[in-house]
């Protein structure tokens, strides 16, 4: 029996950043990949480092680590420890797909791209002692008949195990986003019956869609929402603002149990949206669409990014005022981060504005990774932190809820969760 350890890593800075938040759902990657493992030949141990310690003192034959960019240095250290103890290490994930030659130096086997085909192939080869050094996803995997994630193997996350995908990819081309470099280019959808069956199998009444853009195909989304309604579940998802202009879609979403939508507003500046390549967002439409979402009883969790080239030192106060005027229920606030292979990364690298090669600084939350154009890095960092603290004060919540008037008790709990995180 091959002893397999599968790790969802979390570096210290982000773990510290999130440690008091109680509204964090588990990542889907490792429980999902565990579902492909043949337990007749492998004994699986799952670790979510957000709430588990990595068992360095135990013996494993194979260690699987999914690597995203800010966790890369931490993952390399983890790999070195296990390899020194005699284990083989296989790495995959976003960073491995973006910079495979770098990641290859820190593992025995590398999976590049989407894993549905190459992960089972690697497991079979490893079992037969014929595993290759590198596997590359050549064609877009089908999303039909996907196995159910092994949430049963993930301990100590009883309240936050509900995560599912219905689609993969995004039709848009934002300049700071690396989805186009990570996934095959096609936008794909799972059979609705498969999605509904997986949600029915979840023990929790609450879940989250981890899709990057659930409403990108309106016809599919409406059919899915009609199928979800009888389940009487409560959920959240990510969507693009322009797709939420569809009143029928919002009505179906609410009837299907949607509590809130994460919407990447990013900025209240037209020039900043141009910098972001976010031409589907129109500031003139913000109020009407957000008001419509609220009328349907759905909260808006806005994605906001600071640091675009047209941002000046007054952007933080202006953004807070705009959020309060629109009744934005919650905000996921980030520092602009030039992830490798994205257009913004290439621009800043050409302009010699990258501050460090330390990928741990590229986490969007705890460090500025580049030289801003119209303010100093210190001003960007200070303004970002000041905005977060002010947005999640009781006074700001009262001003916003007077406009939103949506799910007041749940809204308060979510805001409190973020406040505790700050």
């Amino acid at each position: 029996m091959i002893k397999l350890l599968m790790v969802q890593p979390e570096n210290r800075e982000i773990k510290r950043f999130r440690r008091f938040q109680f509204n964090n759902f588990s990542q889907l990657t490792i429980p999902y990949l565990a579902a492909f493992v043949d337990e007749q030949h492998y004994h699986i141990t799952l670790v979510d480092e957000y709430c588990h310690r990595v068992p360095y003192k135990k013996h494993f034959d194979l260690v699987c680590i999914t690597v995203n960019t800010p966790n890369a240095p931490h993952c390399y250290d983890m790999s070195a420890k296990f390899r020194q103890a005699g284990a083989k290490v296989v790495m995959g994930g976003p960073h491995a797909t973006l910079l495979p030659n770098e990641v290859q130096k820190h593992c025995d086997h590398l999976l590049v791209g989407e894993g549905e085909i190459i992960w089972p192939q690697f497991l079979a080869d490893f079992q037969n002692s014929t595993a290759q050094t590198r596997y590359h996803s050549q064609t877009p995997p089908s999303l039909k008949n996907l196995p159910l994630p092994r949430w049963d193997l993930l301990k100590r996350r009883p309240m936050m195990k509900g995560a599912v995908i219905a689609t993969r990819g995004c039709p848009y081309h934002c300049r700071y986003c690396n989805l186009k470099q990570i996934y095959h280019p096609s936008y794909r959808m799972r059979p609705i019956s498969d999605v509904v069956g997986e949600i029915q199998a979840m023990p929790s009444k609450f879940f989250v869609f981890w899709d990057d853009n659930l409403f990108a195909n309106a016809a599919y989304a409406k059919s899915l929402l009609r199928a979800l309604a009888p389940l009487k579940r409560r959920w959240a998802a990510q969507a693009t603002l322009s797709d939420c202009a569809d009143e029928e879609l919002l009505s179906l979403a609410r009837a299907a149990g949607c509590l809130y939508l994460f919407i990447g507003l990013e900025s209240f500046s037209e020039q900043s949206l141009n910098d972001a390549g976010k031409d589907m967002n129109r500031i003139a439409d913000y109020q009407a669409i957000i008001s419509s979402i609220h009328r349907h009883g759905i909260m808006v969790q806005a994605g906001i990014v600071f640091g675009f080239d047209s941002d000046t030192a007054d952007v933080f106060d202006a953004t807070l005022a705009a959020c309060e005027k629109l009744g934005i229920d919650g905000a996921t606030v980030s520092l602009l981060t030039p992830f490798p292979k994205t257009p913004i990364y290439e621009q800043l690298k050409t302009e010699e504005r990258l501050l460090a090669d330390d990928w741990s600084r590229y986490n969007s939350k705890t460090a500025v990774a580049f030289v801003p154009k119209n303010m100093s890095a210190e001003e960007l960092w200070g303004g970002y932190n000041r905005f977060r603290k002010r947005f999640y004060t009781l006074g700001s919540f009262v001003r916003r809820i007077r406009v939103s008037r949506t799910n007041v008790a749940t809204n308060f709990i979510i805001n409190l969760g973020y406040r505790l995180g700050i």
Side-chain angles (χ1 to χ4, degrees), residues 132-145:
Q132 303 170 35
T133 301
R134 185 180 297 192
Y135 295 75
H136 197 289
S137 176
Q138 301 291 344
T139 58
S142 169
L143 300 185
K144 295 180 180 179
N145 300 316

Side-chain angles (χ1 to χ4, degrees), residues 70-276:
N71 279 332
H74 172 57
C75 293
Y76 299 159
D77 291 342
M78 186 188 306
S79 177
K81 292 177 182 177
F82 280 113
R83 293 174 85 186
Q84 187 175 11
K88 296 295 184 181
V89 173
V90 55
M91 288 182 166
H95 198 68
T97 300
L98 295 169
L99 297 175
N101 291 337
E102 174 190 300
V103 179
Q104 185 79 74
K105 300 173 184 176
H106 301 277
C107 60
D108 301 285
H109 309 282
L110 185 70
L111 306 184
V112 180
E114 300 178 43
E116 282 84 358
I117 297 172
I118 57 176
W119 169 239
Q121 180 184 349
F122 163 75
L123 289 171
D125 289 349
F126 188 86
Q127 174 192 330
N128 294 321
S129 302
T130 58
Q132 303 170 35
T133 301
R134 185 180 297 192
Y135 295 75
H136 197 289
S137 176
Q138 301 291 344
T139 58
S142 169
L143 300 185
K144 295 180 180 179
N145 300 316
L146 300 181
L148 297 182
R150 294 295 307 275
W151 297 114
D152 59 301
L153 297 175
L154 190 61
K155 310 302 180 185
R156 297 176 60 189
R157 296 297 297 271
M159 299 298 292
M160 295 295 173
K161 289 184 179 180
V164 64
I165 64 162
T167 67
R168 181 171 295 168
C170 178
Y172 302 110
H173 296 80
C174 300
R175 296 183 65 244
Y176 57 86
C177 179
N178 55 20
L179 286 179
K180 297 300 182 184
Q181 292 79 35
I182 294 172
Y183 294 138
H184 290 284
S186 59
Y187 181 77
R188 282 156 285 155
M189 296 154 282
R190 291 179 68 189
I192 289 173
S193 59
D194 289 2
V195 179
V196 171
E198 182 169 334
I199 294 169
Q200 286 177 316
M202 291 179 182
S204 174
K205 181 180 179 181
F206 299 93
F207 71 94
V208 61
F209 281 104
W210 272 149
D211 302 53
D212 297 297
N213 197 336
L214 183 64
F215 295 166
N217 183 306
Y220 172 84
K222 290 176 183 180
S223 296
L224 173 64
L225 296 172
R226 291 186 182 99
L228 284 180
L231 303 187
K232 306 297 182 183
R233 302 293 178 103
R234 296 292 180 264
W235 51 272
Q238 181 168 293
T240 299
L241 185 71
S242 58
D243 295 327
C244 295
D246 187 326
E247 293 277 344
E248 181 187 18
L249 185 60
L250 293 178
S251 179
L252 289 169
R254 181 56 182 173
C258 181
L259 284 174
Y260 69 88
L261 292 171
F262 176 90
I263 297 175
L265 298 183
E266 318 313 352
S267 178
F268 292 85
S269 159
E270 293 285 4
Q271 185 56 54
S272 293
L273 292 176
N274 289 336
D275 294 343

Side-chain angles (χ1 to χ4, degrees), residues 33-49:
L33 291 179
F36 289 88
V37 180
D38 181 357
E39 290 189 274
Q40 290 185 345
H41 301 284
Y42 288 90
H43 178 273
I44 314 171
T45 300
L46 250 59
V47 167
D48 178 351
E49 205 175 3

